[in-house]
Amino acid sequence: MAEQMTGAEMVVQALIDQGVEHIFGYPGGAVLPIYDAIFQQDKLQHILVRHEQGATHMAEGYARSTGKCGVVLVTSGPGATNAVTGLTDALLDSIPLVCITGQVPTPLIGSDAFQECDTVGITRNCTKHNYLVKSIEDLPRVLHEAFYIATSGRPGPVVIDIPKDVQFALGSYLKPQAKMSHPTYKPQMEGDLEAIRIAVDMMLKAERPVFYTGGGVINSGYEASRTLRDLADLTGFPVTSTLMGLGAYPASSKQWLGMLGMHGTYEANMAMHDADLIICLGARFDDRITGRIDAFSPGSRKIHVDIDASSINKNILVDVPIVGDVNLVMEEIIRIWRAKTNQPRTEAIAPWWKAIEKWRGVNSLAFTNSDKIIKPQHAIQRLYEASKDRDVYITTEVGQHQMWAAQHFHFDEPNRWMTSGGLGTMGYGLPAAIGVQVAHPDALVIDIAGEASVQMTMQEMSTALQYDLPVKIFILNNEYMGMVRQWQELLHGGRYSHSYSDALPDFVKLAEAYGGHGIRCDDPAKLDDAIDEMINIKKPVLFDCLVSKEENCLPMIPSGKPHNEMILPDTADIGSIIDERGKVLV
């Protein structure tokens, strides 16, 4: 039976009925009725952020680490526009969010009223879907539909723009249906069986196969990561992953090639280049993976499994497209494979593994360590060793530190790695870590940061302190916008135009000013003790780790180059590959 309540009360009740426990937001005039409804209940906890961009990133971290939908509440005008960066970030990385925005009363829409903006128009291209709710009768349906759309198919952000008069209006509230649906949005879950059979036949004949996996495996749920492991065991094929897919397949496995792409391992990129069959599972062939498109894996046939039909053949033409949920498709592949052979193709692909082992021998992640200055790669390795046996979640900002973290911090489980992949949003990591910590209050949550990137959302330290969230911010401080400096060195003749991080704050004093704990370390011999101190302090920590200033993040595929033309570190063992790979750049 329908229950009479105001629009603001409907919003709160719908969130509760959808299983929402936490909401990240910032009040303002156009959402005060909703905030008043929040005040009068105790089932939904509101986390007060310091900037609306922070709210969206917190919700992203919350969603990515739990598999649930993140929820944001902001006011009209600047509140909504401040959320745009996080909405775009969530769209590109397929993160389920519902963002509720206030709007001026319906009679004032279009009049340039105070704090009015066309939220639907502004967010049309950075959301999966958005709504302007003009009638109280539509509000319950829209609220429930938004969660269905955000979490089904390829996940993404949905905006609900609610005018203030609709929040005050009285109407009939209906609870969500046991099984939601939508008349025009019906994601295809089951893959085409004939296409799957063709894919299995290709896999049974391949001599140089590789599984190319992405964030879609993680988005498909925890079970999908287990299915991927079963599939890899069953076939014996090597596995590589995008930045967003780290943790879907265990880094400790002998079949793991490491991350691929611009800063991927030599063995992963060479396997992709020389493969005769690529099985793409929940990835989208983006430019950071493919390098030069006309030279991408020229000798391979390609199978592409993705729940988003628009991602197939968008960047790379494939031989066998399969639209469907990646977990369901992998289960079908396993079923058909077992019916045909039920054995890995160990002997058939033994020469392929021999070639891969040769590429592994290059040791493309090697670096020259120092006992005088902390190398950033060494700092990540020591952080990993200190935290690997704990319940640890990692977020990052964006830049060199992000790539070093992806290379040197190893993940055996999904949902433990939260980073901004598609948009590359500086300032993502600190608020994302807060969202993760809200979801996992007893876990160790570390934001691996750069001194430039972390300052973009530093105000969220105040949120961490307010809610007693002991996030750790591990800053690799090289006094540069490191990735910008690296590209300027390699591509712009060493002209470091505005890439030096000048006038940096004293991060120790800054931490103390917020009420947190500050640590500074510039001595490799003291690094382990300093990391232990950071981990054991039960409050937010800013760790200022002073690292070598001009270290480059290698290996690297230069812009516009194919996978087999990588810049390798000068410590790489390239003696055995120069003859056969004459184009290797060192």
Side-chain angles (χ1 to χ4, degrees):
M1 180 178 293
E3 183 179 353
Q4 293 294 300
M5 59 181 71
T6 67
E9 291 169 337
M10 287 182 187
V11 170
V12 174
Q13 188 59 51
L15 296 180
I16 294 170
D17 289 344
Q18 289 291 339
V20 176
E21 297 176 352
H22 300 93
I23 181 171
F24 303 90
Y26 200 92
V31 283
L32 287 184
I34 299 175
Y35 271 90
D36 190 52
I38 290 173
F39 184 84
Q40 298 181 62
Q41 56 81 51
D42 58 6
K43 294 181 180 179
L44 183 69
Q45 183 184 5
H46 178 276
I47 305 297
L48 177 64
V49 305
R50 300 308 186 260
H51 189 281
E52 291 87 354
Q53 180 183 345
T56 53
H57 294 328
M58 287 180 204
E60 285 187 277
Y62 187 95
R64 185 73 176 173
S65 67
T66 62
K68 300 177 182 179
C69 186
V71 183
V72 175
L73 175 61
V74 298
T75 194
S76 64
T81 58
N82 281 347
V84 164
T85 296
L87 293 171
T88 310
D89 193 275
L91 181 69
L92 288 176
D93 285 348
S94 305
I95 309 300
L97 295 188
V98 169
C99 178
I100 298 166
T101 62
Q103 184 56 273
V104 300
T106 51
L108 295 181
I109 292 177
S111 71
D112 293 333
F114 177 68
Q115 290 193 333
E116 180 194 1
C117 72
D118 179 7
T119 300
V120 168
I122 289 170
T123 62
R124 182 168 287 118
N125 291 325
C126 65
T127 56
K128 186 176 178 182
H129 192 61
N130 60 16
Y131 298 88
L132 172 60
V133 184
K134 294 184 177 180
S135 168
I136 187 66
E137 287 75 22
D138 293 331
L139 184 57
R141 171 185 59 82
V142 167
L143 288 164
H144 299 317
E145 271 185 12
F147 280 88
Y148 171 71
I149 292 171
T151 57
S152 61
R154 178 181 176 178
V158 177
V159 162
I160 310 172
D161 198 32
I162 310 177
K164 194 168 184 179
D165 57 320
V166 175
Q167 298 172 41
F168 278 122
L170 192 66
S172 299
Y173 174 76
L174 292 172
K175 291 185 176 294
Q177 301 172 9
K179 187 174 182 180
M180 284 292 298
S181 62
H182 190 278
T184 61
Y185 176 63
K186 299 181 184 297
Q188 183 174 331
M189 302 297 288
E190 304 281 348
D192 180 77
L193 194 56
E194 183 57 31
I196 296 173
R197 288 195 181 102
I198 293 171
V200 172
D201 286 340
M202 292 168 64
M203 292 165 63
L204 286 167
K205 296 173 183 176
E207 296 179 355
R208 301 184 306 279
V210 61
F211 285 120
Y212 154 41
T213 65
V217 179
I218 294 174
N219 287 338
S220 186
Y222 184 80
E223 188 60 35
S225 296
R226 291 298 177 271
T227 307
L228 174 60
R229 296 165 199 222
D230 292 342
L231 181 58
D233 289 344
L234 187 62
T235 60
F237 293 177
V239 182
T240 184
S241 167
T242 66
L243 179 73
M244 295 302 297
L246 295 177
Y249 189 77
S252 58
S253 171
K254 293 181 179 179
Q255 289 171 244
W256 172 244
L257 304 183
M259 183 178 72
L260 80 156
M262 179 171 285
H263 292 286
T265 65
Y266 185 70
E267 55 267 32
N269 284 330
M270 289 309 306
M272 288 288 284
H273 185 271
D274 280 12
D276 67 353
L277 180 66
I278 291 175
I279 307 105
C280 176
L281 303 170
R284 56 190 177 90
F285 291 98
D286 73 280
D287 60 289
R288 293 290 157 134
I289 296 303
T290 62
R292 203 176 86 208
I293 287 180
D294 63 358
F296 172 72
S297 195
S300 71
R301 300 182 75 186
K302 299 169 183 70
I303 300 164
H304 189 181
V305 181
D306 203 297
I307 200 163
D308 180 8
S310 71
S311 290
I312 294 179
N313 290 325
K314 183 196 296 186
N315 300 321
I316 297 291
L317 293 178
V318 300
D319 300 276
V320 182
I322 304 173
V323 178
D325 177 78
V326 69
N327 186 51
L328 296 179
V329 173
M330 286 192 295
E331 288 178 344
E332 280 298 305
I333 291 174
I334 289 172
R335 183 185 65 80
I336 295 170
W337 182 284
R338 284 178 172 157
K340 288 178 177 288
T341 177
N342 202 31
Q343 296 293 327
R345 300 190 64 239
T346 307
E347 292 185 14
I349 62 173
W352 180 228
W353 273 111
K354 185 176 179 180
I356 289 171
E357 290 304 321
K358 193 173 183 180
W359 295 326
R360 274 180 173 162
V362 171
N363 196 14
S364 61
L365 298 183
F367 61 96
T368 302
N369 209 355
S370 169
D371 59 1
K372 294 182 171 46
I373 189 167
I374 299 173
K375 290 298 186 81
Q377 304 96 320
H378 176 70
I380 299 295
Q381 289 178 352
R382 299 317 301 160
L383 181 65
Y384 169 71
E385 291 297 330
S387 61
K388 65 181 181 180
D389 295 327
R390 296 173 180 262
D391 185 22
V392 62
Y393 293 80
I394 299 295
T395 71
T396 78
E397 308 295 333
V398 168
Q400 284 180 319
H401 62 273
Q402 176 191 29
M403 295 298 107
W404 280 317
Q407 291 172 342
H408 297 279
F409 205 103
H410 310 295
F411 299 91
D412 279 354
E413 294 293 334
N415 305 106
R416 299 295 177 132
W417 164 253
M418 277 60 63
T419 194
S420 174
L423 193 60
T425 307
M426 294 175 71
Y428 168 91
L430 195 164
I434 292 173
V436 174
Q437 193 79 78
V438 168
H440 308 277
D442 298 323
L444 173 61
V445 182
I446 305 172
D447 171 29
I448 298 175
E451 83 291 336
S453 190
V454 75
Q455 292 188 80
M456 289 200 168
T457 52
M458 179 58 75
Q459 68 274 4
E460 302 306 337
M461 276 290 287
S462 182
T463 301
L465 266 298
Q466 178 178 345
Y467 295 96
D468 297 319
L469 301 168
V471 294
K472 319 300 182 187
I473 315 302
F474 190 72
I475 303 169
L476 298 183
N477 186 349
N478 59 11
E479 299 182 3
Y480 274 105
M481 299 171 211
M483 196 62 83
V484 174
R485 183 208 58 76
Q486 178 169 329
W487 281 60
Q488 288 174 335
E489 175 188 326
L490 298 176
L491 301 176
H492 299 281
R495 294 180 293 278
Y496 301 134
S497 178
H498 300 283
S499 57
Y500 186 73
S501 300
D502 210 349
L504 288 171
D506 182 324
F507 286 107
V508 172
K509 291 182 179 178
L510 186 58
E512 293 169 351
Y514 277 110
H517 184 77
I519 301 171
R520 179 178 294 112
C521 184
D522 61 1
D523 185 350
K526 299 178 180 178
L527 180 60
D528 285 356
D529 288 343
I531 289 174
D532 286 342
E533 178 186 347
M534 176 189 76
I535 289 173
N536 292 319
I537 291 287
K538 302 303 181 185
K539 61 166 59 177
V541 177
L542 287 180
F543 187 123
D544 189 11
C545 185
L546 303 177
V547 299
S548 55
K549 292 181 171 54
E550 296 180 352
E551 191 81 7
N552 283 333
C553 184
L554 299 174
M556 175 182 177
I557 302 174
S559 180
K561 298 293 183 181
H563 282 76
N564 64 334
E565 296 188 35
M566 296 185 71
I567 301 175
L568 296 173
D570 56 12
T571 50
D573 182 10
I574 62 169
S576 62
I577 62 171
I578 283 293
D579 290 341
E580 61 177 291
R581 298 290 172 200
K583 291 184 177 180
V584 172
L585 305 177
V586 182

